[in-house]
């Protein structure tokens, strides 16, 4: 089955590490931290703040200390989004007060890392290990995510259906896992961050450090 996704284009304003930021008359300095359930900082995590008023997206990616800073307009309510793999998860809305004072605020996001994740838009030609072009978008997003995850290791397992012999399906499963791995390598993901294995099921499974993504 193929999935159709309607996309809305918005402006993205992601911070990069440059000079030290300071609050202004119009913008607050927002200090963002991402931690896990054990209160350990998480690096390489992308968090976005979507303005309800303008729909502009402000965000950044955490450093090795699980932190980043950005300037966002005061007097606005934001939809907070956290990206794991290829999916954005919305969190409780966050409001910055409208004040004439210079404003510095802190935002701490505590997240539970997924053990299993499913990629719904990875497709192969029937009976083959050839990825279709419809898979590009999701695999490109996965590659971008892994680029920021410096310590994450994934295990990729290819899928087949239950038609045919187990031996043939295992061979195809392995080939599909290798196809996904090869695609990610071409996108700059190091080979030592991935392991391809066969897995007969209705999905591709990617095991992450070691939890699993399924696609």
């Amino acid at each position: 089955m193929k999935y159709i996704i309607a996309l809305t284009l918005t402006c993205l304003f992601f911070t990069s590490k440059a000079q030290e930021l300071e609050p202004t008359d119009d913008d607050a300095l927002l200090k963002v931290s991402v931690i896990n359930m054990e209160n350990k900082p998480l690096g390489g995590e992308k968090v976005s703040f979507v303005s309800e008023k303008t729909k502009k997206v402000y965000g950044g990616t955490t450093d090795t200390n699980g932190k980043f800073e950005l300037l966002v307009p005061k007097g606005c309510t934001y939809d907070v989004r956290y990206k794991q793999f290829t999916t954005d998860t919305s969190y409780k809305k966050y409001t910055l007060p409208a004040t004439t004072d210079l404003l510095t605020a802190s935002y701490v996001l505590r997240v539970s890392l997924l053990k299993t994740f499913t990629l719904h838009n990875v497709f192969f030609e029937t009976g083959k290990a050839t990825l279709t072009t419809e898979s590009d978008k999701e695999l490109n997003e996965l590659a971008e995510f892994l680029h920021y995850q410096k310590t994450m290791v994934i295990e990729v397992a290819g899928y087949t259906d239950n038609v045919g012999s187990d031996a043939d399906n295992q061979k195809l499963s392995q080939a599909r896992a290798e196809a996904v791995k090869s695609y990610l390598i071409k996108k700059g993901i190091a080979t030592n961050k991935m392991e391809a294995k066969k897995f007969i099921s209705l999905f591709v499974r990617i095991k992450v450090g070691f939890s699993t993504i399924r696609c």
Side-chain angles (χ1 to χ4, degrees), residues 59-70:
T61 303
T62 57
D63 59 19
T64 55
N65 296 314
K67 302 177 183 294
F68 70 87
E69 297 180 357
L70 72 165

Side-chain angles (χ1 to χ4, degrees), residues 56-113:
K56 287 185 178 180
V57 183
Y58 304 85
T61 303
T62 57
D63 59 19
T64 55
N65 296 314
K67 302 177 183 294
F68 70 87
E69 297 180 357
L70 72 165
L71 295 175
V72 292
K74 295 183 289 187
C76 294
T77 297
Y78 296 92
D79 179 21
V80 182
R81 298 177 184 174
Y82 166 67
K83 189 162 192 174
Q84 276 203 60
F85 304 107
T86 64
T87 298
D88 283 322
T89 300
S90 292
Y91 285 78
K92 185 177 180 180
K93 295 183 185 297
Y94 181 70
T95 301
L96 284 170
T99 176
T100 57
D101 296 330
L102 295 179
L103 179 62
T104 298
S106 297
Y107 184 88
V108 178
L109 182 63
R110 180 176 281 106
V111 298
S112 177
L113 296 179

